[in-house]
Amino acid sequence: MARETVTPISLRQPGGTRVILRCMGYLRPYWLYSTAAYLLLMLNNGVSFAQPLIIRDVIDQGIRGGDAAAIQRGALLLLGLTLVKGVFTFLYGRWTEIASQNVAYDLRNAIHEKLQSLSFSYHDRAETGQLLTRAISDVDRIRFLTGRALVSLSQLAVLVVGIAISMMVMNLELALLILAVLPFMIYTALRFGQRYRPLFNTVQQQVSTLTSRLEQNLRGARIVAGFAQERAEVERLNEENVGLLDLNLQAGWLRAWFVPAVSFLGSIGTIFILLYGGREVIRGDLTVGELVAFTAYMGQLLVPTRRLGMIISAIAQASASGTRIFEILDAQSEVEDAPGAQPLAGVEGNVRFEHVAFSYFGRHKVLHDITFDARAGEVVALLGATGSGK
């Protein structure tokens, strides 16, 4: 099958921000969990800032200064901070997951309740596979957005600011040299998200098509067998499956070049540290401990920046998924109560259909001028061929 070309699009899609904000609105009932998680995240980042500085002091005061007590104090302090960081990571991860899982729970309930209230005409037009994909895969994308995605994005923003300040305090020239690499890393990550979003949307559509095809085959297995169409249906399903495989291979190719590209840029920053920082150490303008601290800070920047592309794509995916979900939640039933309608109390009596007509989508008329009575206690059977309007 020929590869489908997916054109990169702007990350700033019309209405995308509104969709994201609406998704975030589902976090409102769980604001306590979210607030506590983000407070712990800030404290966790504070621990991350402190660890390279402690390593610097251990090297400069302990190892180079010959102070064994300073080495022991630094090692114990690092151990304590590592334990504290582990507790903070566990707690904010758990609380974030609680909030995001509850968002998914509420969305699934809202979708199911809405589908139960829509008129028959909506279900005549909608494909079951599409609805299943939105209720499962798309909801899970919103869950990831309201949980790990935003936490990681916040963590990266705070780390960049905090690390930049810490490095500038130690050595302004070396800090600016290292930070000059950061825009290229961020650009690479954003470029990845820009190409990955439309590709993911196409993958989701293909998954929905494949699910619908499979669901129809399973539900109509007897009809397929009755008309000896097994081979034809297998070929149709295989065609959709090959299309999904091809799209997933394209997505895998994008991910395959992105990670090495960011790692390469991070390595350039490390080379700058060794070349310029090494010269500064020789000149006495930078200590060995500060040089090691710069390397540690570079490592702290590399990991979240590498995740930025996946985070941006996750936000883009959530925007597309949110649009698909809200199409269901905002759908209007064609059957509505008349203005001023009163609640119907207990009713007894006969039901009479007078001059009833019915057509599919206003085009294919299958009933015309039908009149009959359904008396209390009677059982009325409606017989007719498929598509006759029963």
Side-chain angles (χ1 to χ4, degrees), residues 134-344:
R134 298 186 190 196
I136 298 175
S137 298
D138 288 333
V139 167
D140 192 63
R141 295 295 173 183
I142 302 299
R143 177 199 62 77
F144 184 73
L145 167 71
T146 56
R148 296 288 180 178
L150 287 182
V151 167
S152 298
L153 192 61
S154 302
Q155 183 182 33
L156 175 61
V158 174
L159 276 176
V160 169
V161 174
I163 289 176
I165 294 174
S166 299
M167 289 193 301
M168 288 179 181
V169 169
M170 287 190 292
N171 189 292
L172 180 60
E173 293 81 5
L174 182 56
L176 293 177
L177 190 61
I178 295 173
L179 292 175
V181 180
L182 190 60
F184 295 98
M185 297 171 64
I186 294 177
Y187 172 79
T188 302
L190 293 178
R191 181 64 177 168
F192 169 75
Q194 186 182 37
R195 294 185 63 86
Y196 195 80
R197 173 179 177 169
L199 181 57
F200 172 78
N201 293 342
T202 308
V203 169
Q204 286 293 89
Q205 294 171 6
Q206 187 66 19
V207 169
S208 299
T209 302
L210 182 63
T211 304
S212 297
R213 174 72 65 183
L214 183 60
E215 181 266 338
Q216 291 169 3
N217 281 339
L218 293 176
R219 188 172 56 181
R222 294 183 179 179
I223 298 176
V224 172
F227 286 90
Q229 293 297 304
E230 295 93 338
R231 182 177 297 277
E233 290 300 326
V234 167
E235 291 176 355
R236 292 190 186 99
L237 183 64
N238 182 65
E239 182 180 352
E240 302 294 349
N241 203 15
V242 169
L244 181 59
L245 172 63
D246 188 72
L247 290 170
N248 279 321
L249 289 176
Q250 292 184 50
W253 181 85
L254 284 176
R255 291 191 296 267
W257 73 256
F258 166 71
V259 174
V262 174
S263 298
F264 172 74
L265 292 173
S267 299
I268 291 178
T270 303
I271 292 173
F272 286 163
I273 293 174
L274 294 176
L275 292 177
Y276 186 85
R279 190 183 66 176
E280 292 293 288
V281 170
I282 294 173
R283 293 170 52 183
D285 295 331
L286 191 72
T287 67
V288 176
E290 289 174 334
L291 183 66
V292 175
F294 268 99
T295 305
Y297 279 134
M298 190 66 203
Q300 288 185 358
L301 281 176
L302 184 60
V303 175
T305 305
R306 183 184 297 147
R307 292 202 302 262
L308 178 62
M310 300 305 296
I311 296 169
I312 294 299
S313 67
I315 295 175
Q317 293 164 14
S319 176
S321 295
T323 301
R324 289 156 55 89
I325 290 174
F326 296 139
E327 284 178 359
I328 297 177
L329 298 181
D330 295 339
Q332 297 294 321
S333 178
E334 295 183 9
V335 179
E336 297 181 351
D337 292 333
Q342 300 297 319
L344 185 64

Side-chain angles (χ1 to χ4, degrees), residues 359-365:
S359 61
Y360 286 106
F361 312 119
R363 297 189 300 272
H364 308 296
K365 199 165 187 178

Side-chain angles (χ1 to χ4, degrees), residues 360 384-390:
Y360 286 106
T386 300
S388 62
K390 300 188 295 299

Side-chain angles (χ1 to χ4, degrees), residues 25-225:
Y26 283 87
L27 274 173
R28 193 173 295 114
Y30 315 105
W31 66 269
L32 189 59
Y33 284 111
S34 298
T35 303
Y38 282 95
L39 287 175
L40 283 180
L41 177 63
M42 298 302 107
L43 294 174
N44 197 51
N45 284 335
V47 174
S48 297
F49 300 150
Q51 286 176 325
L53 299 179
I54 296 173
I55 295 174
R56 177 198 62 183
D57 294 338
V58 168
I59 293 174
D60 290 340
Q61 299 175 14
I63 298 176
R64 289 180 62 85
D67 188 352
I71 298 176
Q72 294 175 357
R73 287 195 305 269
L76 290 175
L77 186 55
L78 282 175
L79 177 60
L81 289 179
T82 302
L83 293 175
V84 170
K85 187 175 180 179
V87 173
F88 286 170
T89 303
F90 168 77
L91 289 177
Y92 82 68
R94 175 173 172 78
W95 290 342
T96 300
E97 199 66 23
I98 289 175
S100 62
Q101 290 290 350
N102 275 283
V103 168
Y105 172 81
D106 292 340
L107 276 174
R108 284 191 293 266
N109 283 340
I111 292 173
H112 185 263
E113 182 178 354
K114 185 67 177 183
L115 290 175
Q116 297 299 314
S117 66
L118 292 173
S119 57
F120 291 157
S121 60
Y122 179 87
H123 295 284
D124 288 336
R125 294 189 297 269
E127 294 184 1
T128 303
Q130 292 276 355
L131 298 179
L132 286 173
T133 300
R134 298 186 190 196
I136 298 175
S137 298
D138 288 333
V139 167
D140 192 63
R141 295 295 173 183
I142 302 299
R143 177 199 62 77
F144 184 73
L145 167 71
T146 56
R148 296 288 180 178
L150 287 182
V151 167
S152 298
L153 192 61
S154 302
Q155 183 182 33
L156 175 61
V158 174
L159 276 176
V160 169
V161 174
I163 289 176
I165 294 174
S166 299
M167 289 193 301
M168 288 179 181
V169 169
M170 287 190 292
N171 189 292
L172 180 60
E173 293 81 5
L174 182 56
L176 293 177
L177 190 61
I178 295 173
L179 292 175
V181 180
L182 190 60
F184 295 98
M185 297 171 64
I186 294 177
Y187 172 79
T188 302
L190 293 178
R191 181 64 177 168
F192 169 75
Q194 186 182 37
R195 294 185 63 86
Y196 195 80
R197 173 179 177 169
L199 181 57
F200 172 78
N201 293 342
T202 308
V203 169
Q204 286 293 89
Q205 294 171 6
Q206 187 66 19
V207 169
S208 299
T209 302
L210 182 63
T211 304
S212 297
R213 174 72 65 183
L214 183 60
E215 181 266 338
Q216 291 169 3
N217 281 339
L218 293 176
R219 188 172 56 181
R222 294 183 179 179
I223 298 176
V224 172

